[in-house]
Amino acid sequence: MSTELPDVATLLDSLATSLNAEFERRDIGSPILVGIHTGGVWVAEALHERLAARSPVATLEVAFHRDDHATSGLKASVQSSDVPISLDGRTVVLIDDVIQTGRTIRAALNALFDYGRPGRVLLAVLADRGGRELPIQPDALGEQLELPTVQRIKLRGPHPLHFTVEEDAP
Amino acid sequence: MSVQLEPNGRLRHLLTTEGLPREMLTRILDTAESFSGVLGKSVKKVPLLRGRTIINLFFEPSTRTRTTFELAAQRLSADVLNIDVATSSTSKGESLLDMLRNLEAMQCDAFVVRHADSGAAEFIARHVRPGVAVINAGDGRHAHPTQALLDAFTIRREKGPLEPLTIAIVGDILHSRVARSQIHALLGLGAGQVRVIAPRTLLPRDIQRLGVRVYEDMDAGLEGADVVMMLRLQRERMRGALLPSESEFFARFGLTEKRLERTHPDSIVMHPGPVNRGVELDPRVADGPRSVILRQVTNGIAVRMAVMSIVLGGYSDATETGLEESPS
């Protein structure tokens, strides 16, 4: 069974529009974009361009804050977080490629607060494929996807950014 | 069949750097790199091993190694217990197993083991129950894998990729578990050339077989080296007439500023500590601009965090790819 995969550039445009509307509605001036490794960093960099954001993109590795270390282990390629500016009092936009259970975002929120106390945190996600296990919802979204539960969607990149779908072994 | 690696490639214990695949060595260093970032934050702690218990089982005293293991475990939010066992070479056999069973009954998840007997860590690894990890913190003359990994990590941070580097290991190779582990780790990571420099009496026979070049002349061995790794002269292990005197050792194999001129102009000097000043190293070199000895200590924490988090992760669902594909 094949699924029509969304075009990443189109989703990025729609996410940028949605995020801009949110900034306007909540009167947000100069947000800090924080991408979650690895896909979220690519999305954050693309958004940084589209939003003409001033602060540099910060990156977050959430592997050390995950709740499934005991069962799944540490992933093979752990990246380094890079938060070059103070988050204290600032509006932070946490950015990821795909949201499903919400556990990555839970881990990211914990990791984020190790760097200070943001004034406000928003969540921007390129694709929401449903299946939440935690009460976490994006503030800005590229697109809602309907995928069979056995399929995993993943953003590949960085050049060009594109989605792939893999099927879980039965 | 390797005790430390599972068939799917997962690192279950860390007993030796010998035979570790290059991908695993690189993975440990990459993970340590990420932990180095954690240690630079205001909150120097992550919740990764929350609720897990690590026991430092030291049959041989070592303040520095034990302290860095302890700090590494605490930075990972694990609970740590230090047990210093009075050394008695006859207390291995049954009483050691008894002790293990008792400690396991306290629901511990990992043992960090230092022992004067070669093979002690592997012996313990073969007897722990499934799911308990063993990390070798030095066993006799056999291996000291975390020291070798932190050395490789330090070299990579200071000098970049290991492929073009010439690395000289100097001193008592014969009695040194550190040297053995360094050689396996450095060659496993693809280091360009590894040399050992020592008097014949302090060289193991067949050392060339490991893939190193042997020098009995210090000046020749240092020529053009990018990294000089000094070993500690194991005075406590030196019995018999392997060396005339410490002062003669220093005269022939001690690292002085003069000798350092033979190395590459950007070379670095390393030592696993504690330094016998004036025996292996001229104090001016030990405290000089080329010395990265204190950075080795700092790096030791990140590397031990990496090893602990890798061996303690993913026991019940040992997938090779781990989190890479887990639902976001």
Side-chain angles (χ1 to χ4, degrees):
Chain A
M1 187 173 71
S2 77
T3 313
E4 189 75 11
L5 288 174
D7 173 57
V8 175
T10 311
L11 257 58
L12 281 167
D13 290 339
S14 105
L15 178 56
T17 307
S18 156
L19 204 48
N20 262 327
E22 197 62 21
F23 289 161
E24 207 155 302
R25 195 175 69 79
R26 294 162 78 162
D27 197 20
I28 292 166
S30 54
I32 299 176
L33 307 186
V34 179
I36 299 172
H37 277 296
T38 308
V41 173
W42 298 330
V43 177
E45 277 159 2
L47 279 178
H48 192 264
E49 210 168 293
R50 283 172 170 76
L51 299 171
R54 284 190 296 270
S55 301
V57 170
T59 67
L60 213 53
E61 174 54 79
V62 303
F64 305 144
H65 291 77
R66 294 199 61 114
D67 57 19
D68 52 0
H69 173 258
T71 51
S72 300
L74 201 61
K75 66 176 177 180
S77 58
V78 178
Q79 310 288 315
S80 291
S81 297
D82 179 24
V83 182
I85 44 174
S86 167
L87 305 180
D88 288 342
R90 302 286 299 271
T91 294
V92 167
V93 184
L94 202 53
I95 298 163
D96 208 358
D97 49 357
V98 180
I99 185 167
Q100 183 175 357
T101 61
R103 288 178 192 270
T104 300
I105 305 304
R106 198 282 307 163
L109 284 168
N110 285 15
L112 196 64
F113 279 75
D114 287 352
Y115 289 91
R117 183 180 184 276
R120 176 164 47 186
V121 183
L122 273 64
L123 176 61
V125 181
L126 202 54
D128 180 356
R129 60 151 304 162
R132 216 73 84 240
E133 293 168 1
L134 294 173
I136 289 173
Q137 308 303 337
D139 298 285
L141 180 63
E143 188 177 295
Q144 184 80 42
L145 301 177
E146 300 297 330
L147 285 178
T149 47
V150 292
Q151 288 188 354
R152 293 171 185 276
I153 186 164
K154 204 169 159 49
L155 186 67
R156 308 274 175 189
H159 303 294
L161 288 178
H162 63 285
F163 280 115
T164 58
V165 162
E166 282 155 27
E167 201 118 324
D168 273 354
Chain B
M1 178 52 213
S2 161
V3 185
Q4 59 184 356
L5 284 168
E6 288 176 1
N8 66 1
R10 197 183 83 90
L11 189 67
R12 188 182 160 193
H13 308 290
L14 178 67
L15 306 175
T16 170
T17 51
E18 185 177 359
L20 277 189
R22 185 167 183 169
E23 305 78 64
M24 181 55 75
L25 292 165
T26 305
R27 181 181 169 193
I28 294 170
L29 301 200
D30 289 348
T31 306
E33 193 63 55
S34 190
F35 279 124
S36 282
V38 169
L39 298 170
K41 290 187 307 177
S42 51
V43 179
K44 296 177 183 54
K45 202 170 173 121
V46 292
L48 201 63
L49 297 185
R50 205 158 50 108
R52 316 291 289 275
T53 304
I54 295 172
I55 297 185
N56 281 332
L57 200 52
F58 275 56
F59 295 88
E60 203 184 59
S62 163
T63 311
R64 179 188 340 231
T65 303
R66 208 203 62 194
T67 309
T68 49
F69 267 110
E70 187 175 353
L71 206 50
Q74 288 176 350
R75 298 290 196 226
L76 292 166
S77 305
D79 294 310
V80 196
L81 211 60
N82 291 314
I83 300 183
D84 290 307
V85 188
T87 316
S88 148
S89 55
T90 52
S91 72
K92 217 170 83 176
E94 199 185 355
S95 63
L96 175 58
L97 286 178
D98 258 351
M99 174 193 271
L100 278 183
R101 296 288 165 257
N102 276 289
L103 293 170
E104 280 179 353
M106 299 174 199
Q107 316 270 308
C108 72
D109 299 285
F111 291 111
V112 174
V113 180
R114 164 161 302 200
H115 201 289
D117 291 344
S118 302
E122 182 178 332
F123 174 83
I124 291 174
R126 286 184 186 279
H127 288 89
V128 290
R129 62 175 165 77
V132 175
V134 175
I135 298 172
N136 184 3
D139 62 328
R141 294 188 196 183
H142 173 242
H144 194 350
T146 59
Q147 177 69 46
L149 288 165
L150 78 88
D151 291 336
F153 180 70
T154 303
I155 294 172
R156 205 179 71 167
R157 289 201 113 193
E158 301 289 330
K159 306 294 297 177
L162 270 57
E163 285 87 345
L165 299 180
T166 297
I167 301 166
I169 305 172
V170 187
D172 181 2
I173 312 282
L174 180 66
H175 298 90
S176 177
R177 57 192 173 208
V178 173
R180 233 168 295 270
S181 288
Q182 283 170 338
I183 291 167
H184 291 302
L186 295 173
L187 292 175
L189 283 161
Q193 192 184 108
V194 179
R195 303 173 179 173
V196 295
I197 308 175
R200 186 169 310 199
T201 48
L202 295 180
L203 275 170
R205 232 179 302 153
D206 296 342
I207 184 83
Q208 292 94 332
R209 280 209 203 150
L210 298 182
V212 296
R213 294 198 185 192
V214 179
Y215 293 82
E216 289 178 42
D217 178 68
M218 178 83 163
D219 290 328
L222 288 180
E223 200 64 51
D226 300 287
V227 179
V228 185
M229 306 175 84
M230 301 302 295
L231 296 170
R232 193 177 132 77
L233 196 65
Q234 304 282 343
R235 295 189 218 193
E236 61 270 31
R237 290 210 180 83
M238 295 262 291
R239 307 239 157 71
L242 294 175
L243 270 186
S245 72
E246 284 177 359
S247 59
E248 182 173 337
F249 182 84
F250 182 74
R252 284 186 61 200
F253 296 97
L255 189 60
T256 59
E257 288 178 315
K258 183 93 188 112
R259 285 214 162 104
L260 210 46
E261 287 171 12
R262 295 188 167 265
T263 65
H264 189 279
D266 293 327
S267 67
I268 55 170
V269 175
M270 305 173 65
H271 190 291
V275 177
N276 294 317
R277 281 162 198 270
V279 180
E280 308 108 22
L281 269 177
D282 185 322
R284 278 171 296 188
V285 174
D287 305 322
R290 308 278 188 97
S291 166
V292 297
I293 295 172
L294 290 176
R295 270 171 268 173
Q296 287 175 268
V297 179
T298 307
N299 291 338
I301 301 168
V303 167
R304 285 166 178 135
M305 287 171 80
V307 170
M308 286 174 175
S309 56
I310 289 171
V311 297
L312 279 170
Y315 166 68
S316 54
D317 179 22
T319 48
E320 171 71 341
T321 45
L323 299 169
E324 205 67 82
E325 304 298 330
S326 66
S328 26

